[in-house]
Amino acid sequence: MKKKKTYLITGAGSGFGWEIALRMAEDHEDVIAGVANHRQGKELAEEARKRNVSIRIAKLDITSSEDRELAGTWDVDVLLNNAAVSLGGSIADIPEEVLRKQYEVNFFGTIFLTQKIVHQMVKKGAGKIVFVSSLHGIMADPISGPYCSSKFALEAVAESLSKELQEYGIEVAVINPGPYMTGLNDREYASMSKWQEDVPERLFDYEEMAFPYEQFLNIDPVVEGTIDVMTGKSNEYRTVIPKAMGIYGKKRQRDLWNKKTTKHLGKRHPLIKREFKMEPETTVVEGIHRMITDPFQKEDKKK
C-alpha cells in the first residue's frame, strides 16, 4: 500500500495556514500544523474538534533552532513555508531590531527550517517545497519596504533552490497572494506606532497611515489554490491569487525598466497619499480592476 504523504504547514496558528491545515485535515490528509506557541495550538485544536477532524499540531516557532531541529526529524513529504510577519515603516526610519525581526521570521527562520527538511527529502529522492510569498514579492511599495524586501529575498531563494533540487526529484513552487483580509496587512501598519516615538527624526507620522489597498474578504481562492499546488493538482511554479492580479504585478515590473531617477522629484508618491487617506480594514468594493489599471498613476496625473 502506497504511503500517505505528510504535509507540514508552518504558521498554521492564523490566517491562510490555519484554514489550509484544517481543510486538508477535512480531506483526510496527514497534516502537521506548525504553530508559533501553545496558545495558538489550543485554539487550533478546539477548531479541529468543532469540525470533527484529526490533525497533528506541533509547536514550531521557526525562529527557534530547537524547534527547527525537532522538525528536521519528522518525515515530511511536502513543506508549506507559510509563517510570516509584516513589519512596515520607511527604510529611512525603521529601527534595527524591527528590521531584524522581519528577516528572522520571513527569511532566516524559513530558510533554516527548509534546510532541515530538504536533506531528508534528498535521501528519499522526492518531495515538494512551497513558499508562500506575496504580490509584494515581485513589486515593492513605499512604507512596506521591509516586508517586501523579505519576500523578494524569498523569491530569489525559491528560484535558486528549484534549480538546485531538480536533479534530486524535489519540486519547488511559489504562491503569490494579493491583499487579503487576514489581519497581516493591518497589523503591519499598527505595529509602526509602537516604535515611531523612539525615532527622533522620522519621515512620516505612521499613526495616521493605513494599508493602501482594498482587501479581499474571502480567502478561499488562496486556500484552494495553495492546496492544489501542495497536492500536485497544479504543477505551476508561480501561482498568483487572484490570477488577474498577475497583470498588475507584471506591469509594475515592466515600469521599472523605464523608470527615470529624476521623475516626480519633489512630489509625494500617490501610494503614500493613499496611505494617509485609507481607513484600516478597507475591503474591496469595486473589484480588482482598481489595482490592475493602476489607479495611483491616474490620481497622480489629476494633481
PDB file of all heavy atoms in Angstrom, residues 79-109:
ATOM      1  N   LEU A  79       6.467  20.529   2.289  1.00  0.00           N
ATOM      2  CA  LEU A  79       6.621  21.613   3.263  1.00  0.00           C
ATOM      3  C   LEU A  79       5.987  22.879   2.709  1.00  0.00           C
ATOM      4  O   LEU A  79       6.348  23.323   1.611  1.00  0.00           O
ATOM      5  CB  LEU A  79       8.093  21.867   3.553  1.00  0.00           C
ATOM      6  CG  LEU A  79       8.429  23.146   4.341  1.00  0.00           C
ATOM      7  CD1 LEU A  79       7.819  23.117   5.733  1.00  0.00           C
ATOM      8  CD2 LEU A  79       9.952  23.348   4.419  1.00  0.00           C
ATOM      9  N   LEU A  80       5.047  23.459   3.460  1.00  0.00           N
ATOM     10  CA  LEU A  80       4.481  24.750   3.103  1.00  0.00           C
ATOM     11  C   LEU A  80       5.085  25.799   4.028  1.00  0.00           C
ATOM     12  O   LEU A  80       4.754  25.866   5.209  1.00  0.00           O
ATOM     13  CB  LEU A  80       2.959  24.753   3.223  1.00  0.00           C
ATOM     14  CG  LEU A  80       2.299  26.100   2.891  1.00  0.00           C
ATOM     15  CD1 LEU A  80       2.456  26.437   1.411  1.00  0.00           C
ATOM     16  CD2 LEU A  80       0.821  26.107   3.274  1.00  0.00           C
ATOM     17  N   ASN A  81       5.974  26.617   3.492  1.00  0.00           N
ATOM     18  CA  ASN A  81       6.584  27.704   4.253  1.00  0.00           C
ATOM     19  C   ASN A  81       5.630  28.894   4.247  1.00  0.00           C
ATOM     20  O   ASN A  81       5.695  29.765   3.373  1.00  0.00           O
ATOM     21  CB  ASN A  81       7.927  28.097   3.631  1.00  0.00           C
ATOM     22  CG  ASN A  81       9.038  27.138   3.998  1.00  0.00           C
ATOM     23  OD1 ASN A  81       9.223  26.806   5.174  1.00  0.00           O
ATOM     24  ND2 ASN A  81       9.779  26.676   3.006  1.00  0.00           N
ATOM     25  N   ASN A  82       4.753  28.912   5.234  1.00  0.00           N
ATOM     26  CA  ASN A  82       3.698  29.921   5.284  1.00  0.00           C
ATOM     27  C   ASN A  82       3.907  30.955   6.391  1.00  0.00           C
ATOM     28  O   ASN A  82       3.422  32.075   6.284  1.00  0.00           O
ATOM     29  CB  ASN A  82       2.344  29.224   5.471  1.00  0.00           C
ATOM     30  CG  ASN A  82       1.232  30.184   5.794  1.00  0.00           C
ATOM     31  OD1 ASN A  82       0.780  30.939   4.942  1.00  0.00           O
ATOM     32  ND2 ASN A  82       0.790  30.184   7.048  1.00  0.00           N
ATOM     33  N   ALA A  83       4.634  30.608   7.446  1.00  0.00           N
ATOM     34  CA  ALA A  83       4.807  31.507   8.588  1.00  0.00           C
ATOM     35  C   ALA A  83       5.450  32.819   8.159  1.00  0.00           C
ATOM     36  O   ALA A  83       6.444  32.820   7.425  1.00  0.00           O
ATOM     37  CB  ALA A  83       5.644  30.842   9.664  1.00  0.00           C
ATOM     38  N   ALA A  84       4.876  33.930   8.621  1.00  0.00           N
ATOM     39  CA  ALA A  84       5.415  35.241   8.235  1.00  0.00           C
ATOM     40  C   ALA A  84       4.878  36.314   9.164  1.00  0.00           C
ATOM     41  O   ALA A  84       3.831  36.150   9.796  1.00  0.00           O
ATOM     42  CB  ALA A  84       5.039  35.574   6.793  1.00  0.00           C
ATOM     43  N   VAL A  85       5.617  37.412   9.237  1.00  0.00           N
ATOM     44  CA  VAL A  85       5.143  38.623   9.899  1.00  0.00           C
ATOM     45  C   VAL A  85       5.335  39.774   8.920  1.00  0.00           C
ATOM     46  O   VAL A  85       6.111  39.668   7.969  1.00  0.00           O
ATOM     47  CB  VAL A  85       5.898  38.919  11.218  1.00  0.00           C
ATOM     48  CG1 VAL A  85       5.637  37.831  12.245  1.00  0.00           C
ATOM     49  CG2 VAL A  85       7.396  39.081  10.968  1.00  0.00           C
ATOM     50  N   SER A  86       4.620  40.859   9.168  1.00  0.00           N
ATOM     51  CA  SER A  86       4.754  42.036   8.320  1.00  0.00           C
ATOM     52  C   SER A  86       5.001  43.242   9.205  1.00  0.00           C
ATOM     53  O   SER A  86       4.139  43.631   9.996  1.00  0.00           O
ATOM     54  CB  SER A  86       3.476  42.239   7.488  1.00  0.00           C
ATOM     55  OG  SER A  86       3.647  43.293   6.572  1.00  0.00           O
ATOM     56  N   LEU A  87       6.205  43.808   9.107  1.00  0.00           N
ATOM     57  CA  LEU A  87       6.606  44.934   9.944  1.00  0.00           C
ATOM     58  C   LEU A  87       7.045  46.063   9.032  1.00  0.00           C
ATOM     59  O   LEU A  87       8.101  45.982   8.399  1.00  0.00           O
ATOM     60  CB  LEU A  87       7.742  44.518  10.878  1.00  0.00           C
ATOM     61  CG  LEU A  87       7.396  43.345  11.815  1.00  0.00           C
ATOM     62  CD1 LEU A  87       8.640  42.838  12.526  1.00  0.00           C
ATOM     63  CD2 LEU A  87       6.325  43.740  12.811  1.00  0.00           C
ATOM     64  N   GLY A  88       6.221  47.100   8.953  1.00  0.00           N
ATOM     65  CA  GLY A  88       6.476  48.153   7.986  1.00  0.00           C
ATOM     66  C   GLY A  88       7.195  49.352   8.556  1.00  0.00           C
ATOM     67  O   GLY A  88       7.642  49.381   9.699  1.00  0.00           O
ATOM     68  N   GLY A  89       7.301  50.374   7.716  1.00  0.00           N
ATOM     69  CA  GLY A  89       7.973  51.611   8.051  1.00  0.00           C
ATOM     70  C   GLY A  89       8.899  52.012   6.924  1.00  0.00           C
ATOM     71  O   GLY A  89       9.353  51.161   6.160  1.00  0.00           O
ATOM     72  N   SER A  90       9.168  53.291   6.814  1.00  0.00           N
ATOM     73  CA  SER A  90      10.124  53.742   5.808  1.00  0.00           C
ATOM     74  C   SER A  90      11.483  53.114   6.077  1.00  0.00           C
ATOM     75  O   SER A  90      11.892  52.956   7.231  1.00  0.00           O
ATOM     76  CB  SER A  90      10.246  55.266   5.849  1.00  0.00           C
ATOM     77  OG  SER A  90      11.372  55.695   5.103  1.00  0.00           O
ATOM     78  N   ILE A  91      12.195  52.759   5.011  1.00  0.00           N
ATOM     79  CA  ILE A  91      13.544  52.219   5.152  1.00  0.00           C
ATOM     80  C   ILE A  91      14.431  53.211   5.905  1.00  0.00           C
ATOM     81  O   ILE A  91      15.342  52.825   6.639  1.00  0.00           O
ATOM     82  CB  ILE A  91      14.149  51.914   3.764  1.00  0.00           C
ATOM     83  CG1 ILE A  91      13.330  50.820   3.052  1.00  0.00           C
ATOM     84  CG2 ILE A  91      15.606  51.496   3.882  1.00  0.00           C
ATOM     85  CD1 ILE A  91      13.289  49.487   3.771  1.00  0.00           C
ATOM     86  N   ALA A  92      14.149  54.506   5.769  1.00  0.00           N
ATOM     87  CA  ALA A  92      14.947  55.534   6.436  1.00  0.00           C
ATOM     88  C   ALA A  92      14.677  55.610   7.931  1.00  0.00           C
ATOM     89  O   ALA A  92      15.487  56.158   8.685  1.00  0.00           O
ATOM     90  CB  ALA A  92      14.667  56.893   5.798  1.00  0.00           C
ATOM     91  N   ASP A  93      13.545  55.050   8.390  1.00  0.00           N
ATOM     92  CA  ASP A  93      13.135  55.198   9.783  1.00  0.00           C
ATOM     93  C   ASP A  93      13.177  53.915  10.603  1.00  0.00           C
ATOM     94  O   ASP A  93      13.402  53.964  11.811  1.00  0.00           O
ATOM     95  CB  ASP A  93      11.696  55.736   9.855  1.00  0.00           C
ATOM     96  CG  ASP A  93      11.577  57.179   9.407  1.00  0.00           C
ATOM     97  OD1 ASP A  93      12.607  57.881   9.367  1.00  0.00           O
ATOM     98  OD2 ASP A  93      10.455  57.607   9.081  1.00  0.00           O
ATOM     99  N   ILE A  94      12.908  52.781   9.993  1.00  0.00           N
ATOM    100  CA  ILE A  94      12.643  51.561  10.760  1.00  0.00           C
ATOM    101  C   ILE A  94      13.821  51.196  11.666  1.00  0.00           C
ATOM    102  O   ILE A  94      14.978  51.167  11.233  1.00  0.00           O
ATOM    103  CB  ILE A  94      12.277  50.394   9.819  1.00  0.00           C
ATOM    104  CG1 ILE A  94      11.758  49.197  10.624  1.00  0.00           C
ATOM    105  CG2 ILE A  94      13.443  50.012   8.915  1.00  0.00           C
ATOM    106  CD1 ILE A  94      11.084  48.147   9.774  1.00  0.00           C
ATOM    107  N   PRO A  95      13.563  50.948  12.952  1.00  0.00           N
ATOM    108  CA  PRO A  95      14.639  50.600  13.877  1.00  0.00           C
ATOM    109  C   PRO A  95      15.295  49.273  13.512  1.00  0.00           C
ATOM    110  O   PRO A  95      14.662  48.381  12.947  1.00  0.00           O
ATOM    111  CB  PRO A  95      13.910  50.484  15.225  1.00  0.00           C
ATOM    112  CG  PRO A  95      12.653  51.273  15.062  1.00  0.00           C
ATOM    113  CD  PRO A  95      12.274  51.090  13.626  1.00  0.00           C
ATOM    114  N   GLU A  96      16.550  49.143  13.874  1.00  0.00           N
ATOM    115  CA  GLU A  96      17.320  47.948  13.527  1.00  0.00           C
ATOM    116  C   GLU A  96      16.670  46.683  14.057  1.00  0.00           C
ATOM    117  O   GLU A  96      16.566  45.682  13.341  1.00  0.00           O
ATOM    118  CB  GLU A  96      18.746  48.064  14.081  1.00  0.00           C
ATOM    119  CG  GLU A  96      19.602  46.840  13.812  1.00  0.00           C
ATOM    120  CD  GLU A  96      21.014  46.980  14.366  1.00  0.00           C
ATOM    121  OE1 GLU A  96      21.444  48.118  14.646  1.00  0.00           O
ATOM    122  OE2 GLU A  96      21.684  45.942  14.530  1.00  0.00           O
ATOM    123  N   GLU A  97      16.215  46.714  15.314  1.00  0.00           N
ATOM    124  CA  GLU A  97      15.657  45.491  15.896  1.00  0.00           C
ATOM    125  C   GLU A  97      14.363  45.057  15.209  1.00  0.00           C
ATOM    126  O   GLU A  97      14.066  43.864  15.105  1.00  0.00           O
ATOM    127  CB  GLU A  97      15.417  45.659  17.404  1.00  0.00           C
ATOM    128  CG  GLU A  97      14.386  46.698  17.801  1.00  0.00           C
ATOM    129  CD  GLU A  97      14.958  48.105  17.955  1.00  0.00           C
ATOM    130  OE1 GLU A  97      16.077  48.358  17.444  1.00  0.00           O
ATOM    131  OE2 GLU A  97      14.272  48.939  18.578  1.00  0.00           O
ATOM    132  N   VAL A  98      13.596  46.021  14.702  1.00  0.00           N
ATOM    133  CA  VAL A  98      12.361  45.697  13.996  1.00  0.00           C
ATOM    134  C   VAL A  98      12.677  45.066  12.645  1.00  0.00           C
ATOM    135  O   VAL A  98      12.077  44.061  12.249  1.00  0.00           O
ATOM    136  CB  VAL A  98      11.470  46.948  13.821  1.00  0.00           C
ATOM    137  CG1 VAL A  98      10.197  46.597  13.052  1.00  0.00           C
ATOM    138  CG2 VAL A  98      11.115  47.550  15.176  1.00  0.00           C
ATOM    139  N   LEU A  99      13.609  45.650  11.930  1.00  0.00           N
ATOM    140  CA  LEU A  99      14.000  45.106  10.630  1.00  0.00           C
ATOM    141  C   LEU A  99      14.593  43.707  10.785  1.00  0.00           C
ATOM    142  O   LEU A  99      14.319  42.806   9.989  1.00  0.00           O
ATOM    143  CB  LEU A  99      15.004  46.035   9.946  1.00  0.00           C
ATOM    144  CG  LEU A  99      15.448  45.635   8.537  1.00  0.00           C
ATOM    145  CD1 LEU A  99      14.242  45.513   7.599  1.00  0.00           C
ATOM    146  CD2 LEU A  99      16.450  46.636   7.989  1.00  0.00           C
ATOM    147  N   ARG A 100      15.408  43.519  11.813  1.00  0.00           N
ATOM    148  CA  ARG A 100      15.993  42.192  12.047  1.00  0.00           C
ATOM    149  C   ARG A 100      14.912  41.154  12.352  1.00  0.00           C
ATOM    150  O   ARG A 100      14.990  40.007  11.902  1.00  0.00           O
ATOM    151  CB  ARG A 100      17.020  42.250  13.175  1.00  0.00           C
ATOM    152  CG  ARG A 100      18.301  42.963  12.774  1.00  0.00           C
ATOM    153  CD  ARG A 100      19.360  42.876  13.842  1.00  0.00           C
ATOM    154  NE  ARG A 100      20.566  43.574  13.439  1.00  0.00           N
ATOM    155  CZ  ARG A 100      21.516  43.065  12.659  1.00  0.00           C
ATOM    156  NH1 ARG A 100      21.374  41.814  12.194  1.00  0.00           N
ATOM    157  NH2 ARG A 100      22.582  43.765  12.329  1.00  0.00           N
ATOM    158  N   LYS A 101      13.890  41.546  13.114  1.00  0.00           N
ATOM    159  CA  LYS A 101      12.800  40.615  13.409  1.00  0.00           C
ATOM    160  C   LYS A 101      12.073  40.232  12.129  1.00  0.00           C
ATOM    161  O   LYS A 101      11.677  39.079  11.940  1.00  0.00           O
ATOM    162  CB  LYS A 101      11.819  41.229  14.401  1.00  0.00           C
ATOM    163  CG  LYS A 101      10.669  40.286  14.765  1.00  0.00           C
ATOM    164  CD  LYS A 101       9.704  40.895  15.758  1.00  0.00           C
ATOM    165  CE  LYS A 101       8.564  39.939  16.060  1.00  0.00           C
ATOM    166  NZ  LYS A 101       7.580  40.530  17.004  1.00  0.00           N
ATOM    167  N   GLN A 102      11.875  41.208  11.236  1.00  0.00           N
ATOM    168  CA  GLN A 102      11.219  40.926   9.963  1.00  0.00           C
ATOM    169  C   GLN A 102      11.946  39.806   9.214  1.00  0.00           C
ATOM    170  O   GLN A 102      11.327  38.887   8.685  1.00  0.00           O
ATOM    171  CB  GLN A 102      11.197  42.200   9.104  1.00  0.00           C
ATOM    172  CG  GLN A 102      10.616  42.049   7.722  1.00  0.00           C
ATOM    173  CD  GLN A 102       9.120  41.824   7.744  1.00  0.00           C
ATOM    174  OE1 GLN A 102       8.340  42.752   7.704  1.00  0.00           O
ATOM    175  NE2 GLN A 102       8.704  40.569   7.829  1.00  0.00           N
ATOM    176  N   TYR A 103      13.257  39.887   9.207  1.00  0.00           N
ATOM    177  CA  TYR A 103      14.048  38.892   8.480  1.00  0.00           C
ATOM    178  C   TYR A 103      14.225  37.593   9.251  1.00  0.00           C
ATOM    179  O   TYR A 103      14.349  36.526   8.635  1.00  0.00           O
ATOM    180  CB  TYR A 103      15.406  39.496   8.095  1.00  0.00           C
ATOM    181  CG  TYR A 103      15.346  40.179   6.756  1.00  0.00           C
ATOM    182  CD1 TYR A 103      14.775  41.444   6.625  1.00  0.00           C
ATOM    183  CD2 TYR A 103      15.802  39.549   5.610  1.00  0.00           C
ATOM    184  CE1 TYR A 103      14.682  42.064   5.397  1.00  0.00           C
ATOM    185  CE2 TYR A 103      15.717  40.162   4.369  1.00  0.00           C
ATOM    186  CZ  TYR A 103      15.154  41.416   4.265  1.00  0.00           C
ATOM    187  OH  TYR A 103      15.043  42.022   3.033  1.00  0.00           O
ATOM    188  N   GLU A 104      14.228  37.653  10.571  1.00  0.00           N
ATOM    189  CA  GLU A 104      14.370  36.424  11.352  1.00  0.00           C
ATOM    190  C   GLU A 104      13.226  35.462  11.066  1.00  0.00           C
ATOM    191  O   GLU A 104      13.422  34.254  10.989  1.00  0.00           O
ATOM    192  CB  GLU A 104      14.423  36.746  12.854  1.00  0.00           C
ATOM    193  CG  GLU A 104      15.726  37.334  13.337  1.00  0.00           C
ATOM    194  CD  GLU A 104      16.913  36.406  13.132  1.00  0.00           C
ATOM    195  OE1 GLU A 104      16.736  35.171  13.154  1.00  0.00           O
ATOM    196  OE2 GLU A 104      18.034  36.923  12.940  1.00  0.00           O
ATOM    197  N   VAL A 105      12.018  36.003  10.893  1.00  0.00           N
ATOM    198  CA  VAL A 105      10.853  35.153  10.616  1.00  0.00           C
ATOM    199  C   VAL A 105      10.755  34.840   9.118  1.00  0.00           C
ATOM    200  O   VAL A 105      10.805  33.680   8.703  1.00  0.00           O
ATOM    201  CB  VAL A 105       9.544  35.809  11.099  1.00  0.00           C
ATOM    202  CG1 VAL A 105       8.345  34.920  10.758  1.00  0.00           C
ATOM    203  CG2 VAL A 105       9.602  36.075  12.600  1.00  0.00           C
ATOM    204  N   ASN A 106      10.622  35.879   8.323  1.00  0.00           N
ATOM    205  CA  ASN A 106      10.298  35.677   6.907  1.00  0.00           C
ATOM    206  C   ASN A 106      11.431  35.073   6.100  1.00  0.00           C
ATOM    207  O   ASN A 106      11.179  34.377   5.109  1.00  0.00           O
ATOM    208  CB  ASN A 106       9.899  37.011   6.267  1.00  0.00           C
ATOM    209  CG  ASN A 106       8.559  37.506   6.754  1.00  0.00           C
ATOM    210  OD1 ASN A 106       8.066  37.077   7.795  1.00  0.00           O
ATOM    211  ND2 ASN A 106       7.966  38.423   6.021  1.00  0.00           N
ATOM    212  N   PHE A 107      12.652  35.309   6.521  1.00  0.00           N
ATOM    213  CA  PHE A 107      13.775  34.816   5.720  1.00  0.00           C
ATOM    214  C   PHE A 107      14.599  33.758   6.456  1.00  0.00           C
ATOM    215  O   PHE A 107      14.570  32.582   6.094  1.00  0.00           O
ATOM    216  CB  PHE A 107      14.671  35.974   5.286  1.00  0.00           C
ATOM    217  CG  PHE A 107      15.737  35.562   4.318  1.00  0.00           C
ATOM    218  CD1 PHE A 107      15.422  35.246   3.004  1.00  0.00           C
ATOM    219  CD2 PHE A 107      17.061  35.477   4.713  1.00  0.00           C
ATOM    220  CE1 PHE A 107      16.403  34.860   2.105  1.00  0.00           C
ATOM    221  CE2 PHE A 107      18.049  35.090   3.825  1.00  0.00           C
ATOM    222  CZ  PHE A 107      17.724  34.768   2.525  1.00  0.00           C
ATOM    223  N   PHE A 108      15.307  34.142   7.513  1.00  0.00           N
ATOM    224  CA  PHE A 108      16.231  33.208   8.149  1.00  0.00           C
ATOM    225  C   PHE A 108      15.522  31.989   8.739  1.00  0.00           C
ATOM    226  O   PHE A 108      15.945  30.845   8.511  1.00  0.00           O
ATOM    227  CB  PHE A 108      17.052  33.923   9.226  1.00  0.00           C
ATOM    228  CG  PHE A 108      18.012  34.930   8.666  1.00  0.00           C
ATOM    229  CD1 PHE A 108      17.856  36.285   8.929  1.00  0.00           C
ATOM    230  CD2 PHE A 108      19.061  34.536   7.847  1.00  0.00           C
ATOM    231  CE1 PHE A 108      18.733  37.222   8.399  1.00  0.00           C
ATOM    232  CE2 PHE A 108      19.940  35.465   7.306  1.00  0.00           C
ATOM    233  CZ  PHE A 108      19.784  36.807   7.588  1.00  0.00           C
ATOM    234  N   GLY A 109      14.449  32.212   9.481  1.00  0.00           N
ATOM    235  CA  GLY A 109      13.724  31.075  10.054  1.00  0.00           C
ATOM    236  C   GLY A 109      13.206  30.145   8.976  1.00  0.00           C
ATOM    237  O   GLY A 109      13.291  28.907   9.095  1.00  0.00           O
TER     238      GLY A 109
END
